[in-house]
Structure formats: C-alpha cells, structure tokens
C-alpha cells in the first residue's frame, strides 16, 4: 500500500508544482474573477491528470505490477484517482457555475473585457471552439459523476458495472477535447503543458483500447470447464479449467479474470492450483454475490471459459525463513496453490497456516489438511463462531519467532487491518505484512 500512496502523493505534488511554476497564481491580480479563472484552470489540470493516470491503469499493465505491488494495488490506486478526479471536477464545476449564478442574481458584477491583443490563427481557432468545448465538457462532467458514483455503489450489479464503467472511456475523450481547447495557450510550451499533453495522450490511447475491448487481450486464453465440485457447507464451488491456448505459467498466489458468460463479463478469482505444465487451472469460488451464487446451478462440464492473466504479486517471497499465513474464508485459495507447489518443491521455510472460517465444510477441511501435510506446513483451523476471530495476540503466542517472520494475509480487509495494526504496534515491520486486496471496484 505504501507504494501506491507514494505514487498518489507524488503525482499531485508534481502537478501542483508545475502549475505554480507557470506563474498562474503569482501573476493573478488580487481580484475575484482573475482568481476564479486561475482556480478553474488549477482544478481542471489536477482532475485531468488524475483521470489520465487512472485511465492508463485501467489497461492492467502487467509490467507495472512489481512497482505498484500487484494489480490489486493498482486497482486501489485507480479507485483513489477516480474518487479524487470526481471531487476535483465538482470543485471545478462550482468555480465555473456559482459566479455565473451570483452575477445573474445581481450579487456580483462581471468586469468588462478589454480589446484582445492580436493572436495567431491557431489560438483564434481554439477561441472559436470555446463555447462548444464548454458545453460538451459540462455534459461530460454530469455523465462522469453518474458513472463514477455507480462504480462506487457496491450493490450496483457487477454485470451492469462492467458495461457502464467502459463508458467512462468515451467521457474521458470528450473531456480531453474540452481540456485541450480551454487550457491557457501560454501553458502549452511550459513543462506543465508537455506533461499534460503526455498524460492525455496516454489516457486517450488507453480509452480507445478500452472502447474496442482490447484490455488484457494478449493475456487471454480459451479453456474448457472439465471439473466441478461443490462444497455445500461453506458455499464454495471448485472449478477446474483445461486451457486450449498458450498461458504464461503462473505463480502460487496470483489470480486471473475468468469469463463464463459474456453478458456478465470477467470476474477476478484467485488461482487455487499451482502451475503443472499441462494447462490445468483450478479456482475455488465463494458465493459472495448474485452472480457467484448462480454458478453452481449454471456451470456445466464442457462449457467454454476465457481466462485472462495471471496477475498479482502475492508471491510468498522475501528473505525470511519463517512465514505465517492467514486465510480468512475464501482467502485460503492462494495458500492452497502454494501448498501444492511446496509439496512438489519445498523451499526450506518453517510455515504456520491459519484457516479462519465461519462456515466449516468437513470435506474442504480434509482436503486442506492433506495438502498441508504434503507440504510440511503446520495447519491451524479457527472456527470463528466457536473460537472467535483470530487475533494478533494469539499469533504472537503460537509463534514466538513472529517478529522474524513475514506475514501473508488474504481475506476480509477489516480482519487484515486488525491483525496488521496489532502486530505492527508490537514491533512487526509493516513491510513484512503482505495483504491481498480482494476489492477490485
């Protein structure tokens, strides 16, 4: 998380600094309307900078994963940028509209404009576009507000989110036109202008790729569902997929986007199997929403599936020879894949695995126990309704060398936050607590 926080802060710090270096604020007279013009420009620059980087992150750039800490962290940064762009856009709109209302109500007097100095034909052409650019920009702003708010509403069905969110790419392209026309001509030859041009160029390319359905296309493989097993007590469906296309060998802990129904779109699921060079993938899918609840009824052996990936940096690496794994609910899946890998090729580490569940399934636990025995990993089962939620104190008591260990957590975010805070308060280096983020919206 610290990497994406750093990137987030550096992005806005750089844009603010570049904007200040253009002299916008220092050269602005101490009058309301010139200051308003500067603030419109300032908020517009920041909002478009945030949207441009967010649009590029939507491409799922796998080469950037090591720098961002994984695609799950990249999507978290994408979300932060979207929310920030929304807030900045609202402030931008208020700076435009509220003074107009005040002038209309007679509470402000708009200063008269003096004669304009001679300008180049290009600037004159852009000036002729101002009215139209303002109009389409306003409507694009309204559309962006609605689409971003829909993306933030967790109860908005995923299949509709999958379709509506792509429309943001079209809205973004309209806002690029709006920004190019209305950005101050004197800013384009500056460092700010060059940076904004590069950001909007990159964002525009990403928007076009999104609109034509090109996101992740090179990472996709076609497969056939060849095995299904339902664990009724914990509402988990095990899905086996035999790939028919080439696939980049994945590491235990990674995930993929899987499409069973084109109308529904791709959903992210953690791989629960290690790579076996035969093109066989396995997923354990928990009934967590309307769509996943239907899978035990609608999925059939022989059905086609499209798998995109692998993604993620939850890789069980690091120099520590002691590791503590915690899987909360369906968060046990990356550890199942790692157990299989260790059974084939041990890494010499001493490992304790906690599986915390509110819905124990005997068959599922038996299989997990067998995998742990084959991998030489100590397994601890916690039934939350009987034993309560696993705490940092319990971990410290069970593993005296906990400060020398790296912690790998996958499960509900609140559960992970409580463990992280409890351990770091007692001396664990926060860099040694690794958490997979399930929330991709």
């Amino acid at each position: 998380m610290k990497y994406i926080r750093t990137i987030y802060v550096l992005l806005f710090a750089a844009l603010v600094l570049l904007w200040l270096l253009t002299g916008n604020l220092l050269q602005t007279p101490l009058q309301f309307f010139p200051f308003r013009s500067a603030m419109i420009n300032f908020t517009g620059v920041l909002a478009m900078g945030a949207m441009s980087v967010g649009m590029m992150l939507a491409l799922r750039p796998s080469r950037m994963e090591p720098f961002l800490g994984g695609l799950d962290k990249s999507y978290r940064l994408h979300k932060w940028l979207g929310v920030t762009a929304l807030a900045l856009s609202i402030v931008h709109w208020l700076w435009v509209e509220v003074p107009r209302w005040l002038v209309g109500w007679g509470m402000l007097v708009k200063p008269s404009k003096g004669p304009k100095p001679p300008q180049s034909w290009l600037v004159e052409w852009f000036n002729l576009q101002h009215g139209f650019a303002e109009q389409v920009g306003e409507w694009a702003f309204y559309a962006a507000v609605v689409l971003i708010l829909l993306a933030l509403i967790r109860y908005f069905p995923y299949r509709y989110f999958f379709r509506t969110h792509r429309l943001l790419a079209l809205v973004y392209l309209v806002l690029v036109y709006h920004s190019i026309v209305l950005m101050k001509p004197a800013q384009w030859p500056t460092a700010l202008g060059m940076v904004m041009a590069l950001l909007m160029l990159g964002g525009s390319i990403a928007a076009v790729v999104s609109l034509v359905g090109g996101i992740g296309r090179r990472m996709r493989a076609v497969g056939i569902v060849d095995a299904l097993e339902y664990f009724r007590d914990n509402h988990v469906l095990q899905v086996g997929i035999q790939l028919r296309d080439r696939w980049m060998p994945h590491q235990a802990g990674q995930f993929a986007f899987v499409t069973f129904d084109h109308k529904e779109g791709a959903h992210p699921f953690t791989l629960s199997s290690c790579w076996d060079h035969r093109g066989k993938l396995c997923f354990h899918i928990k009934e967590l929403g309307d769509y996943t609840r239907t899978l035990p009824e609608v999925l059939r052996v022989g059905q086609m599936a499209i798998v995109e990936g692998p993604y993620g940096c939850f890789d069980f690496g690091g120099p520590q020879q002691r590791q503590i794994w915690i899987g909360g609910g369906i968060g046990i899946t990356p550890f199942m894949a790692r157990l299989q890998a260790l059974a084939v090729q041990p890494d010499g580490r001493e490992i304790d695995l906690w599986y915390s569940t509110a819905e124990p399934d005997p068959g599922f636990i038996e299989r997990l126990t067998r995998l742990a025995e084959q991998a030489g990993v100590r397994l601890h089962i916690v039934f939350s309704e009987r034993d309560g939620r696993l705490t940092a104190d319990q971990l410290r008591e069970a593993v005296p060398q906990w400060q020398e260990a790296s912690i790998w957590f996958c499960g509900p975010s609140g559960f992970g936050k409580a463990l992280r805070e409890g351990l770091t308060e007692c001396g664990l280096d926060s860099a040694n607590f690794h958490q997979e983020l399930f929330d991709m919206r």
Side-chain angles (χ1 to χ4, degrees):
M1 291 287 285
K2 67 178 181 180
Y3 298 109
I4 59 174
R5 289 194 185 100
T6 301
I7 293 171
Y8 179 86
V9 171
L10 288 178
L11 170 65
F12 287 104
L15 290 176
V16 170
L17 178 61
L18 291 175
W19 186 83
L20 290 173
L21 289 175
T22 61
N24 281 280
L25 197 59
L26 297 176
Q27 297 175 8
T28 300
L30 295 176
Q31 298 173 7
F32 176 76
F33 277 96
F35 181 75
R36 170 203 179 221
S37 177
M39 288 300 99
I40 290 173
N41 178 259
F42 178 62
T43 54
V45 165
L46 295 184
M48 284 306 297
M51 287 192 71
S52 298
V53 176
M55 190 61 63
M56 287 185 277
L57 290 175
L59 288 181
R60 303 173 190 156
S62 57
R63 293 182 180 179
M64 292 296 296
E65 284 197 81
F67 303 100
L68 298 171
L71 186 62
D72 56 322
K73 312 301 189 299
S74 173
Y75 266 101
R76 182 60 59 90
L77 178 58
H78 172 84
K79 181 178 180 178
W80 290 352
L81 291 171
V83 173
T84 305
L86 174 63
L88 288 167
S89 298
I90 292 173
V91 175
H92 179 82
W93 178 82
L94 289 173
W95 273 112
V96 172
E97 297 298 331
V98 171
R100 290 178 178 174
W101 299 339
L102 294 176
V103 169
W105 297 336
M107 300 175 67
L108 272 179
V109 178
K110 189 174 182 179
S112 57
K113 296 181 179 180
K116 293 183 178 180
Q119 296 173 322
S120 68
W121 67 269
L122 184 60
V123 173
E124 289 290 349
W125 184 84
F126 272 94
N127 288 338
L128 292 175
Q129 303 291 314
H130 276 200
F132 182 68
E134 290 177 354
Q135 186 175 11
V136 296
E138 182 178 358
W139 285 105
F141 161 72
Y142 298 143
V145 169
V146 172
L147 292 172
I148 294 175
L149 288 177
L150 287 177
L152 295 174
I153 298 173
R154 293 182 178 274
Y155 296 105
F156 186 63
Y158 186 91
R159 61 184 177 276
Y160 299 130
F161 159 78
F162 173 74
R163 298 171 188 171
T164 59
H165 204 57
R166 184 176 290 181
L167 294 176
L168 273 172
L170 183 60
V171 171
Y172 172 80
L173 291 175
V174 175
L175 290 174
V176 167
Y177 165 75
H178 169 85
S179 301
I180 290 174
V181 171
L182 295 178
M183 193 165 170
K184 295 180 179 181
Q187 290 179 323
W188 286 114
T190 67
L192 175 67
M194 289 184 280
V195 168
M196 290 303 297
L198 288 173
L199 288 176
M200 289 191 287
L201 175 61
S204 297
I205 293 172
V208 172
V209 171
S210 175
L211 288 170
V212 300
I215 294 179
R217 180 175 292 171
R218 295 182 180 180
M219 306 281 283
R220 295 175 194 165
V222 174
I224 300 295
V225 176
D226 69 347
L228 294 168
E229 183 175 358
Y230 184 59
F231 298 93
R232 192 168 302 278
D233 290 345
N234 62 357
H235 309 287
V236 170
L237 178 66
Q238 178 180 313
V239 182
I241 297 177
Q242 180 63 54
L243 297 178
R244 299 293 179 88
D245 286 338
R246 299 171 65 180
W247 172 264
M248 182 184 299
H250 65 270
Q251 301 296 319
Q254 292 190 294
F255 65 92
F257 290 88
V258 185
T259 304
F260 297 113
D261 180 354
H262 288 284
K263 293 181 180 179
E264 178 68 22
H267 283 252
F269 300 118
T270 300
L271 288 145
S272 56
S273 59
C274 64
W275 179 244
D276 63 0
H277 302 282
R278 294 179 298 171
K280 179 66 179 289
L281 306 180
C282 186
F283 300 90
H284 283 73
I285 301 173
K286 174 79 171 181
E287 295 180 10
L288 294 174
D290 293 340
Y291 174 66
T292 50
R293 275 192 284 269
T294 67
L295 290 180
E297 302 296 330
V298 301
L299 276 189
R300 296 289 182 268
V301 172
Q303 182 175 334
M304 188 181 76
I306 298 175
V307 187
E308 178 196 327
Y311 295 108
C313 294
F314 195 77
D315 58 7
F316 303 94
Q320 295 85 356
Q321 291 302 303
R322 197 75 172 78
Q323 290 191 342
I324 298 172
W325 302 349
I326 306 108
I330 197 59
I332 194 64
T333 48
F335 304 109
M336 295 176 71
R338 183 60 177 168
L339 289 173
Q340 296 170 53
L342 289 178
V344 176
Q345 186 175 356
D347 65 0
R349 288 189 173 98
E350 189 176 357
I351 301 168
D352 284 85
L353 166 61
W354 270 265
Y355 172 45
S356 178
T357 177
E359 300 172 321
D361 183 286
F364 188 88
I365 292 174
E366 180 183 353
R367 187 165 302 181
L368 182 61
T369 302
R370 187 167 61 250
L371 288 174
E373 290 174 352
Q374 293 169 353
V377 170
R378 282 187 294 272
L379 176 64
H380 310 262
I381 305 293
V382 179
F383 299 154
S384 55
E385 292 186 0
R386 181 193 68 191
D387 307 319
R389 175 175 278 190
L390 179 67
T391 66
D393 290 337
Q394 291 173 313
L395 288 175
R396 294 198 304 270
E397 183 179 348
V399 184
Q401 307 86 5
W402 62 274
Q403 284 186 299
E404 303 168 11
S406 60
I407 316 294
W408 298 82
F409 175 88
C410 189
S413 58
F415 184 15
K417 181 180 179 183
L419 290 175
R420 178 192 290 269
E421 291 177 349
L423 292 170
T424 54
E425 285 174 1
C426 293
L428 181 74
D429 185 346
S430 61
N432 291 332
F433 192 102
H434 308 273
Q435 182 173 355
E436 182 82 314
L437 302 178
F438 267 108
D439 188 8
M440 305 298 285
R441 287 180 62 175

